[in-house]
Amino acid sequence: MKKKILAAVLTACMLTSVAACGSSSDGGKKDSGSEDLEKITFVLDWTPNTNHTGLYVAKEKGYFEKEGLDVEIVQPPEDGADALVASGKAQFGVSFQDSMAPGVAGDNALPNTAVAALIQHNTSGIISRKGEGMERPKGLEGKKYATWDAPIEKAMMQNVVEKDGGDFSKVELIPSTVTDEVSALKSKSVDAIWIFYAWAGVATEVADLETDYFAFKDINPVFDYYTPVVIANNDFLEEKPDTAKAFLQALKQGYEDAIADPDEAASILLEASPELDEELVKASQEYLKDQYKADVKQWGYIDPARWNAFYGWLNENGLSEAELPENAGFSNDYLPE
């Protein structure tokens, strides 16, 4: 049950294709003295994209080496980064607060902790063709929405539609087969798609496709949860807290460089992953430079009130098999100042 929920919600968290499981990326040049460095494995959530740019910048610029670390970046297995980090085969990875929920408490608890926010606010929402009445959730009535049939996803959709005065039962839910949002909208095979704007939304701009869009957090502030986040293995955190802090110090430098010079950061990501579309990467990087830290001074900070608000909503709506305790699943203790 847990794996099905986790896989389904993970699918909702980023609309890019999963690469071959277990493959790795150097993401930068190997140092000849890397055998003297402490080995760290970092597992992505999907294929490389601009959510991950700071990681590649930190590797390329030698920030990890400066902290005594040799970081290997790997693609996730079929059951996601959470499982690989929980197994101890990776010390760090990328996850999302919503998809972490099934593993935070109860019999299915995973030994993982979110230790940094990669983006400060939830940039996901619903995109549609411009001028067809879906700029607000109520406008989804009678329209085709591509669903992953995940409990949290559908509960969020119902909440925003009803909060906007709509009838969720009138929304036509069709199984999502979307791999290219631009093509799906242009072909009218679907009317509305859940996206993360930094990638799929920017892609529609690059393609000159006019769209309407609303963000979940703008309809209900409880949906301003953390997505994506860096997770770490709990045993590793307990045994090597200084190494964890050193890793996050280097990662912080990578993301702050991406904020300061998004064009250079985009070039570093493209060098590591040349299969990516250059125009999209550069446009997405420009968008995200203002999102990585947004309104906080400390990179990676997780606001306990916002974290707890979302998990409290899951508890109240019966969307967690086990009660999610307050402040469960995250820590700011390893963040650099």
Side-chain angles (χ1 to χ4, degrees):
M1 176 69 174
K2 190 209 84 169
K3 285 187 177 180
K4 289 183 179 179
I5 295 175
L6 182 60
V9 183
L10 273 169
T11 303
C13 290
M14 178 61 74
L15 301 176
T16 53
S17 301
V18 179
C21 298
S23 63
S24 65
S25 170
D26 285 340
K29 298 174 183 177
K30 287 265 187 174
D31 181 73
S32 58
S34 62
E35 64 272 9
D36 299 324
L37 304 174
E38 183 169 357
K39 306 287 185 181
I40 293 291
T41 298
F42 187 103
V43 57
L44 302 178
D45 50 319
W46 300 104
T47 51
N49 58 69
T50 46
N51 282 348
H52 314 134
T53 307
L55 176 70
Y56 286 94
V57 172
K59 188 170 177 69
E60 175 64 25
K61 292 193 170 184
Y63 296 153
F64 292 125
E65 291 176 12
K66 183 180 177 182
E67 297 293 337
L69 305 175
D70 176 21
V71 176
E72 181 186 18
I73 304 169
V74 303
Q75 299 292 322
E78 188 175 346
D79 47 1
D82 299 72
L84 196 63
V85 173
S87 73
K89 294 178 180 177
Q91 289 77 33
F92 293 96
V94 178
S95 189
F96 311 86
Q97 187 183 350
D98 53 348
S99 64
M100 286 179 66
V104 165
D107 294 339
N108 294 319
L110 296 176
N112 297 336
T113 297
V115 292
L118 291 180
I119 297 174
Q120 272 300 311
H121 293 284
N122 183 359
T123 62
S124 71
I126 301 300
I127 200 165
S128 60
R129 290 177 297 276
K130 189 170 184 63
E132 297 187 11
M134 289 169 280
E135 71 278 1
R136 299 287 303 179
K138 187 181 187 304
L140 293 173
E141 291 180 348
K143 304 296 186 179
K144 293 181 289 186
Y145 165 68
T147 178
W148 297 277
D149 199 31
I152 294 176
E153 170 218 2
K154 291 194 295 184
M156 287 178 61
M157 287 294 295
Q158 181 174 351
N159 180 276
V160 296
V161 170
E162 293 179 352
K163 203 170 185 66
D164 197 41
D167 183 347
F168 185 64
S169 68
K170 294 181 179 179
V171 179
E172 184 181 352
L173 305 180
I174 63 172
S176 179
T177 58
V178 175
T179 57
D180 179 341
E181 292 76 21
V182 173
S183 297
L185 290 173
K186 282 184 174 180
S187 68
K188 299 190 176 182
S189 60
V190 64
D191 299 317
I193 308 170
W194 181 327
I195 65 162
F196 276 72
Y197 200 88
W199 193 258
V202 171
T204 65
E205 294 180 13
V206 169
D208 292 324
L209 175 64
E210 292 189 335
T211 62
D212 284 321
Y213 173 80
F214 64 83
F216 287 104
K217 67 179 178 62
D218 292 341
I219 307 301
N220 188 344
V222 80
F223 297 144
D224 193 15
Y225 55 84
Y226 286 93
T227 172
V229 294
V230 176
I231 57 172
N233 176 273
N234 289 349
D235 288 340
F236 168 76
L237 291 174
E238 183 177 349
E239 294 166 9
K240 296 188 174 184
D242 290 341
T243 303
K245 291 176 181 178
F247 175 85
L248 290 174
Q249 173 62 40
L251 192 61
K252 169 194 171 184
Q253 289 181 268
Y255 277 94
E256 291 193 334
D257 281 5
I259 293 168
D261 193 341
D263 192 62
E264 178 195 47
S267 296
I268 290 173
L269 178 61
L270 287 163
E271 183 179 354
S273 301
E275 71 280 4
L276 297 176
D277 179 85
E278 180 177 357
E279 186 178 5
L280 172 56
V281 168
K282 290 191 172 184
S284 176
Q285 204 64 63
E286 184 66 25
Y287 173 89
L288 279 175
K289 80 177 192 305
D290 297 323
Q291 303 296 325
Y292 291 134
K293 285 179 71 173
D295 48 9
V296 299
K297 293 181 180 179
Q298 184 184 29
W299 174 85
Y301 180 74
I302 295 172
D303 180 356
R306 279 174 49 206
W307 184 278
N308 290 326
F310 180 65
Y311 277 178
W313 183 82
L314 295 185
N315 286 336
E316 292 166 9
N317 289 275
L319 293 166
S320 175
E321 292 183 5
E323 185 82 4
L324 300 171
E326 191 173 64
N327 296 324
F330 82 97
S331 173
N332 288 313
D333 293 347
Y334 303 92
L335 290 176
E337 294 297 329

